[in-house]
Amino acid sequence: IAGITQAPTSQILAAGRRMTLRCTQDMRHNAMYWYRQDLGLGLRLIHYSNTAGTTGKGEVPDGYSVSRANTDDFPLTLASAVPSQTSVYFCASSAGQGNSPLHFGNGTRLTVT
Amino acid sequence: GQNIDQPTEMTATEGAIVQINCTYQTSGFNGLFWYQQHAGEAPTFLSYNVLDGLEEKGRFSSFLSRSKGYSYLLLKELQMKDSASYLCAALDSNYQLIWGAGTKLIIKP
């Protein structure tokens, strides 16, 4: 593979359930990000990681957690899903310099019922 | 507060030229990105501007005026495959990206 792989592609989840969205990159990028995209709104940053072993909160972190145990993987966990977390989730990576462009995965479409 | 404004939707004709505008208000400024996003797909990088002026890449050009907080993306010789959303994003003083909601471009034959 070359780039970023997200799994699953789509998921329907009952409210209250726990869910982990997976993200793996093979570009050896230092920085990784999780965004959600909702109709009529810009991409909103959930969490980010500037390098393996560190994470930070974005604009909308509540209800989500992340870990960055190594360079390649950056999973996003919803501890107890709520309907307002219905969205399309994009994982992205960059080389880490401030003006480096983002490379996005193909997204996970999550529906919480 | 920090804000990006771009039109919600634009329509243009195949073969024509279209200009998509973006105005930004950020705490500091470290450059502006344009991304293309086809329906149901991931955003892909188009351009980055940090200095005033026009940068040309084939049929696509991007312009920046830092003093006016303004950028535009110019698409020439429009093709049906250019139907997509175009996302404007500015880097603030902390190198955080501030995203616009995107402009949906509809190309008609």
Side-chain angles (χ1 to χ4, degrees), chain A residues 38-105:
Chain A
D38 302 289
L39 199 62
L41 299 177
L43 287 162
R44 291 185 291 169
L45 183 64
I46 304 171
H47 285 286
Y48 65 92
S49 168
N50 288 328
T51 189
T54 69
T55 63
K57 294 182 179 180
E59 181 186 352
V60 288
D62 294 344
Y64 306 94
S65 64
V66 292
S67 61
R68 185 87 184 278
N70 56 62
T71 298
D72 298 344
D73 301 301
F74 192 42
L76 176 74
T77 297
L78 289 69
S80 179
V82 295
S84 62
Q85 292 178 311
T86 294
S87 187
V88 179
Y89 290 86
F90 286 103
C91 180
S93 72
S94 75
Q97 288 81 22
N99 60 358
S100 298
L102 296 182
H103 298 259
F104 286 85

Side-chain angles (χ1 to χ4, degrees), chain A residues 31 33 50 94-102, chain B residues 30-33 35 48 90-97:
Chain A
Y33 312 84
N50 288 328
S94 75
Q97 288 81 22
N99 60 358
S100 298
L102 296 182
Chain B
N30 281 299
L32 189 132
F33 290 89
Y35 286 80
Y48 170 74
L91 266 176
D92 70 11
S93 58
N94 294 320
Y95 288 91
Q96 298 296 314
L97 272 173

Side-chain angles (χ1 to χ4, degrees), chain B residues 8-57:
Chain B
T8 301
E9 187 174 297
M10 300 182 69
T11 302
T13 304
E14 189 177 16
I17 299 172
V18 71
Q19 178 176 311
I20 303 173
N21 296 326
C22 170
T23 58
Y24 62 89
Q25 293 173 304
T26 55
S27 302
F29 179 75
N30 281 299
L32 189 132
F33 290 89
W34 284 96
Y35 286 80
Q36 180 190 59
Q37 185 178 25
H38 286 101
E41 297 184 8
T44 56
F45 169 73
L46 286 178
S47 66
Y48 170 74
N49 294 67
V50 66
L51 300 177
D52 285 353
L54 186 70
E55 301 240 354
E56 298 185 68
K57 271 189 195 179

